């Protein structure tokens, strides 16, 4: 079976064919071609919609020309028949209706679909071996395929919401408070007082003088200004962390505790476990979603796939152990 070229690139098509033969089960080729057909149908629908808009605007333009001809006749003082005037009035109303219809079609949100290029890229870019996964559509008795699809897609959305919540969940209070203490104590920097122990040399003539004592050096750092000039600036915050570390830690921890109201913290290990479970649950739902879509297609219907659908589900595969 010959694959449709990717972007009319026959060498890419050959690479896809080679990858399917080497690393994927035989049925993946059929599932990929199913995706290509759906993508072509979606593209054809978009083109038909654009053609319809062009047809409507062409009709509106013809009516505009008719109205302009009518107005020019009147402007020249020529007599117009009642029937001509009736046609012109109808043209004004019809043109307004056509323009409104064209604007509605332009502004109507389009239904997205998974482009077949994502499937091609997955096949080419993924490494390792894959095996087929069989999944049933699981349509309940008395439930229509579309209702079953809507239900499973709500499951997918709920998994996404739960994963976003898990990723946004704060660390346990104790871990966050520990980090505050570590950062404050690591950032502190006191003055350099050791220089006061030394007599610093000042140069006067050839031999110089050793009568000047060193001075205390307070925390500072050199910054590069616009234009490349350099300047020494004081680091007061580091000095404060050195002077009052316990007070800073205590107050910062109190503010942190206030921010934890109505929060559900997760440790890094717990967060990793929760997200992994949700990803597995979501993939299972996506596999059922694909099975329902295929049942609709096999019955002669058309159902678009979500643009971000998991390619493992769409191609009916999983990584081989």
């Amino acid at each position: 079976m010959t694959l449709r070229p990717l972007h009319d690139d026959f060498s890419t098509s050959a690479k896809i064919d080679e990858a399917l033969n080497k690393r994927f089960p035989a049925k993946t080729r059929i599932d990929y071609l199913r995706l290509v057909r759906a993508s072509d149908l979606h593209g054809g629908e978009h083109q038909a919609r654009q053609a319809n808009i062009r047809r409507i605007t062409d009709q509106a333009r013809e009516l505009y020309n008719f109205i302009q001809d009518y107005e020019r006749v009147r402007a020249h003082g020529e007599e117009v028949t009642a029937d001509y005037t009736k046609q012109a009035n109808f043209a004004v109303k019809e043109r307004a209706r056509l323009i409104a219809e064209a604007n509605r079609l332009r502004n109507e949100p389009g239904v997205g679909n998974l482009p077949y290029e994502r499937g091609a890229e997955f096949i080419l870019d993924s490494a390792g071996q894959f095996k087929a996964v069989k999944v049933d559509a699981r349509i309940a008795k008395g439930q229509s395929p579309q209702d079953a699809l809507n239900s499973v897609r709500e499951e997918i959305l709920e998994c996404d919401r739960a994963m976003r919540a898990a990723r946004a969940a704060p660390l346990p209070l104790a871990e966050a408070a520990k980090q505050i203490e570590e950062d404050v104590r690591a950032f502190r920097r006191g003055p350099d007082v050791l220089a006061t122990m030394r007599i610093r040399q000042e140069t006067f003539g050839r031999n110089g003088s050793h009568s000047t004592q060193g001075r205390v050096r307070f925390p500072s750092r050199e910054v590069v200004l616009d234009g490349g000039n350099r300047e020494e600036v004081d680091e007061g915050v580091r000095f404060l962390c050195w002077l009052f570390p316990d007070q800073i830690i205590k107050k910062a921890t109190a503010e942190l505790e206030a921010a934890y109201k109505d929060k559900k913290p997760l440790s890094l290990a717990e967060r990793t476990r929760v997200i992994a479970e949700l990803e597995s649950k979501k993939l299972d739902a996506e596999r059922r979603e694909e099975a329902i879509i295929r049942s609709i297609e096999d019955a002669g219907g058309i159902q678009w796939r979500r643009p971000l659908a998991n390619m493992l589900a769409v191609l009916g595969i999983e990584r081989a152990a």
Side-chain angles (χ1 to χ4, degrees):
M1 184 182 294
T2 303
L3 284 176
R4 176 177 181 269
L6 180 63
H7 301 303
D8 296 326
D9 185 340
F10 289 97
S11 64
T12 301
S13 179
K15 291 177 183 177
I16 294 172
D17 187 61
E18 181 182 4
L20 287 170
N21 289 333
K22 286 185 175 180
R23 300 188 291 105
F24 293 86
K27 68 178 292 293
T28 304
R29 183 185 300 273
I30 299 173
D31 295 332
Y32 170 74
L33 289 174
R34 182 192 288 268
L35 176 61
V36 171
R37 285 193 295 271
S39 187
D40 286 345
L41 283 173
H42 186 267
E45 184 180 84
H46 174 73
Q47 291 175 4
R49 181 179 175 181
Q50 294 302 112
N52 190 30
I53 293 174
R54 287 193 296 271
R55 179 184 60 80
I56 293 172
T57 54
D58 287 345
Q59 291 176 351
R61 189 178 300 108
E62 291 176 4
L63 291 174
Y64 174 77
N65 292 334
F66 178 82
I67 296 167
Q68 289 298 102
D69 290 341
Y70 173 79
E71 294 295 339
R72 276 193 293 270
V73 169
R74 291 187 59 193
H76 290 157
E78 298 180 27
E79 184 178 356
V80 293
T81 65
D83 186 58
Y84 193 9
T85 300
K86 183 179 180 180
Q87 291 178 12
N89 291 336
F90 173 80
V92 170
K93 294 179 181 178
E94 181 64 8
R95 178 173 177 268
R97 186 191 70 80
L98 290 172
I99 291 174
E101 177 64 10
N103 289 335
R104 184 191 68 80
L105 290 173
R106 288 191 186 98
N107 297 325
E108 189 177 60
V111 180
N113 181 58
L114 175 65
Y116 82 92
E117 288 89 347
R118 276 199 60 215
E121 290 169 1
F122 177 86
I123 292 170
L124 290 174
D125 296 342
S126 58
Q129 297 294 317
F130 294 85
K131 62 182 181 180
V133 176
K134 180 175 174 56
V135 180
D136 295 326
R138 300 186 198 176
I139 300 176
K141 186 177 181 180
Q143 187 181 39
S144 69
Q146 189 61 55
D147 288 341
L149 183 63
N150 293 339
S151 178
V152 77
R153 282 182 169 172
E154 181 55 38
E155 286 184 46
I156 294 169
L157 289 174
E158 181 56 37
C159 287
D160 285 335
R161 287 190 287 267
M163 279 191 282
R164 285 195 297 270
R167 292 188 177 102
L171 288 167
L173 177 59
E175 293 184 26
K178 181 182 177 183
Q179 189 63 53
I180 288 176
E181 181 174 0
E182 289 179 357
D183 287 351
V184 170
R185 298 197 186 283
F187 197 66
R188 59 185 175 174
R189 182 179 172 189
D192 180 6
V193 297
L194 300 182
T196 61
M197 301 166 56
R198 299 188 296 274
I199 296 296
R200 189 178 62 189
Q201 179 177 355
E202 283 191 355
T203 303
F204 293 106
R206 295 181 60 184
N207 298 323
S209 169
H210 294 274
S211 60
T212 303
Q213 187 175 0
R215 296 181 177 277
V216 173
R217 296 193 61 186
F218 291 92
S220 65
R221 63 187 174 91
E222 188 179 61
V223 296
V224 179
L225 306 176
D226 291 342
N229 294 327
R230 297 175 180 272
E231 182 177 324
E232 195 79 9
V233 297
D234 294 334
E235 290 194 303
V237 175
R238 302 190 73 166
F239 188 46
L240 286 174
C241 288
W242 178 78
L243 280 176
F244 312 110
D246 295 333
Q247 293 93 321
I248 293 173
I249 292 169
K250 182 178 179 181
K251 186 168 181 58
T253 302
E255 290 191 12
L256 184 69
E257 290 174 352
Y260 265 77
K261 291 180 179 179
D262 303 324
K263 302 284 186 182
K264 294 183 178 179
L266 285 175
S267 66
L268 289 176
E270 183 70 7
R271 188 194 316 267
T272 301
R273 182 190 65 79
V274 168
I275 291 176
E277 289 179 356
L278 288 169
E279 287 177 340
S280 177
K281 182 179 179 182
K282 179 183 177 181
L283 178 56
D284 176 71
E286 289 188 283
R287 291 192 187 281
R288 287 185 280 121
E289 174 193 32
E290 177 63 23
I292 295 171
I293 290 174
R294 292 181 186 182
S295 71
I296 293 173
E297 290 177 338
D298 292 343
I302 297 176
Q303 179 60 59
W304 307 132
R305 290 167 174 81
R306 290 177 301 106
L308 297 179
N310 192 316
M311 293 310 307
L312 292 174
V314 173
L315 296 178
I317 55 177
E318 67 181 1
R319 297 188 180 276

